[in-house]
Amino acid sequence: MHRPALEVADIFRAHGPAWRQHQRGHLSLGQLKVMSAIEQCRSLALGGHALRCSSCAQPQIAYNSCRNRHCPKCQSSAAQRWLEARQADLLPVAYYHVVFTLPAPISAIAYTNKEIIYGLLFDIAAETLRTIAADPKHLGARIGTTLVLHTWGSALTHHPHVHGIVPGGGLAPDADRWVPCRPGFFLSVRVLSRLFRRRFLEELQNAHRDGLLKFFGEHVDLADADAFADWLMPLRQCEWVVYAKRPFAGPEQVLAYLSRYTHRVAISNSRLVALDDQGVTFRWKDYREHGRTRYKTMTLATAEFMRRFLLHVLPSGFHRIRHYGLLASANRRHDIATARDLLRQPAPMPPADPGDGSADHGCPRPTFVCRLCGAPMLVIETFARAQHIRGPPGSSAVP
């Protein structure tokens, strides 16, 4: 695989140590861990393997990956494994893409309340979809949805929103028939927007009442209940952005879309252009423009680039992909089987590993393959990750 000329890891390695020192006390443990993982990813620091091709004897060194979910280099293989598991859930119906976005004022306080507000964004978006879909005036069915959290805009600004992938229909209340949506139309985005706004603000008010929200800097006055109520008032009147895109052309397009969105990080290495005395230059998309001019380049000071990248570090253990309704883990197998029966579609065959020439012989796909001929690589040596002294020797030594 071709290595990009510039990687996020290169930026962190060159400028991270000095910036960490300057920001001491202002970076969370999670952010420090992400920086360290990206810096060490696929380097001698994490160990690796010495390999030799079983066919052409080509030697190769393969360093271990950090497997951090914020690392630009570690997400493609994770996405592929996730997609293979999702293929069994696809139904022969149109799929729709719905996006729920938080207004800028709420995005501002979400940064210091990530677990609470991101969690509400997931749950209220799913509740909104399921509530409107269950209404006989709209669809009258139980639906399923997969929601994926993105917290960034194209310029790395903090912009929390969830992308929903929804089958175009659902099970009738008695699960005795499949209820399809109208061709080319899933649910009214205006109705979705109104309910999403009302329910989110209700739950945000409840979180404030229960003391779950924390405020700092210019927002410190919002800890007061009356000030918070006044702050919420304009948000009850403004439009909240909920929009639906055209339905996908088929299951293959759904999987192609998911492969781009599920394991995406704030910025991929392929978008980086240059690192120099001016800072970091990268490509971004200006959504206010139309046509080819919307693709532009931006240069940020290196410190600002690192700050923006680390804005999007998620809380430890926080799930950024969630399934609801028919696709929820607790009842997914039963509900998908019921939907297939009603749609008269047999269960799909387990996907085969593409390009796995050894599958016919019952052998597992090799972990390493030769870059030149594609044959399996043999591990001839394994070297452990670098060992670091964690502290001084014990004081119990005999003088």
Side-chain angles (χ1 to χ4, degrees):
M1 181 179 295
H2 174 69
R3 182 183 184 274
L6 178 63
E7 298 181 347
V8 173
D10 299 325
I11 299 169
F12 281 173
R13 291 185 192 118
H15 299 275
W19 188 68
R20 278 193 294 265
Q21 183 67 25
H22 184 262
Q23 295 292 322
R24 176 175 291 185
H26 298 283
L27 296 176
S28 69
L29 178 60
Q31 291 172 323
L32 292 172
K33 286 183 175 180
V34 167
M35 291 189 71
S36 177
I38 292 176
E39 289 171 359
Q40 297 180 2
C41 185
R42 299 184 192 177
S43 71
L44 182 60
L46 296 184
H49 305 82
L51 312 169
R52 184 178 65 241
C53 179
S54 59
S55 177
C56 66
Q58 173 72 19
Q60 181 179 324
I61 297 294
Y63 295 117
N64 293 334
S65 301
C66 67
R67 297 191 178 185
N68 190 286
R69 60 177 170 171
H70 302 90
C71 176
K73 287 189 289 193
C74 289
Q75 297 309 300
S76 59
S77 58
Q80 184 59 38
R81 292 192 299 270
W82 188 87
L83 288 173
E84 290 172 357
R86 298 283 75 75
Q87 286 183 7
D89 300 335
L90 288 176
L91 296 171
V93 299
Y95 277 75
Y96 291 80
H97 175 199
V98 185
V99 182
F100 292 83
T101 302
L102 293 178
I106 295 181
S107 298
I109 66 169
Y111 177 68
T112 53
N113 297 278
K114 290 182 177 181
E115 194 155 6
I116 297 296
I117 295 183
Y118 292 172
L120 286 179
L121 176 57
F122 268 116
D123 293 341
I124 302 303
E127 176 192 312
T128 299
L129 286 168
R130 296 170 65 190
T131 299
I132 300 303
D135 189 339
K137 294 186 296 184
H138 295 279
L139 186 63
R142 292 192 294 120
I143 65 169
T145 182
T146 294
L147 297 180
V148 182
L149 174 69
H150 285 182
T151 63
W152 55 84
S154 186
L156 293 180
T157 52
H158 191 230
H159 177 60
H161 56 286
V162 290
H163 295 261
I165 307 300
V166 193
L171 295 177
D174 294 332
D176 57 350
R177 61 191 175 89
W178 177 263
V179 181
C181 66
R182 288 168 17 203
F185 179 85
F186 181 54
L187 296 171
S188 168
V189 293
R190 182 179 179 85
V191 174
L192 292 172
S193 176
R194 295 294 187 272
L195 180 58
F196 176 64
R197 178 180 65 185
R198 177 173 66 81
R199 287 291 297 120
F200 193 98
L201 291 178
E202 287 175 354
E203 293 304 319
L204 192 63
Q205 184 86 62
N206 292 339
H208 186 279
R209 180 199 61 206
D210 296 340
L212 300 178
L213 301 179
K214 296 178 172 54
F215 303 98
F216 302 93
E218 62 180 297
H219 298 111
V220 69
D221 293 339
L222 296 182
D224 177 74
D226 292 335
F228 189 72
D230 292 340
W231 180 80
L232 286 181
M233 191 61 64
L235 295 172
R236 302 183 189 278
Q237 309 300 324
C238 69
E239 292 292 334
W240 287 40
V241 178
V242 176
Y243 67 92
K245 295 186 177 181
R246 292 179 300 175
F248 296 99
E252 294 78 10
Q253 284 70 29
V254 176
L255 287 178
Y257 175 86
L258 287 173
S259 69
R260 296 194 304 269
Y261 274 81
T262 52
H263 292 71
R264 181 178 287 185
V265 298
I267 188 170
S268 63
N269 289 328
S270 61
R271 288 175 55 198
L272 299 176
V273 175
L275 172 65
D276 51 32
D277 294 341
Q278 302 300 314
V280 181
T281 302
F282 61 94
R283 287 183 289 271
W284 69 293
K285 183 187 294 186
D286 187 348
Y287 288 93
R288 295 169 297 183
E289 299 280 354
H290 297 283
R292 299 177 64 181
T293 58
R294 69 191 312 184
Y295 296 95
K296 305 177 180 180
T297 59
M298 174 183 295
T299 300
L300 296 176
T302 307
E304 175 62 11
F305 176 87
M306 292 188 289
R307 185 193 73 83
R308 289 196 190 187
F309 184 92
L310 294 174
L311 286 176
H312 310 292
V313 173
L314 295 176
S316 177
F318 189 90
H319 295 280
R320 66 179 179 187
I321 307 172
R322 303 187 186 186
H323 310 280
Y324 296 86
L326 304 182
L327 301 179
S329 298
N331 53 358
R332 176 171 59 215
R333 182 174 299 178
H334 174 268
D335 286 341
I336 292 296
T338 301
R340 283 207 182 94
D341 288 342
L342 296 173
L343 291 165
R344 295 179 174 82
Q345 182 209 31
M349 296 294 292
D353 284 338
D356 186 359
S358 61
D360 295 337
H361 307 285
C363 300
R365 185 179 181 182
T367 303
F368 304 104
V369 295
C370 180
R371 296 171 180 172
L372 298 181
C373 67
M377 301 290 286
L378 304 176
V379 178
I380 59 177
E381 183 181 355
T382 298
F383 41 96
R385 64 187 298 162
Q387 300 296 317
H388 301 282
I389 298 176
R390 295 184 177 274
S395 58
S396 57
V398 177

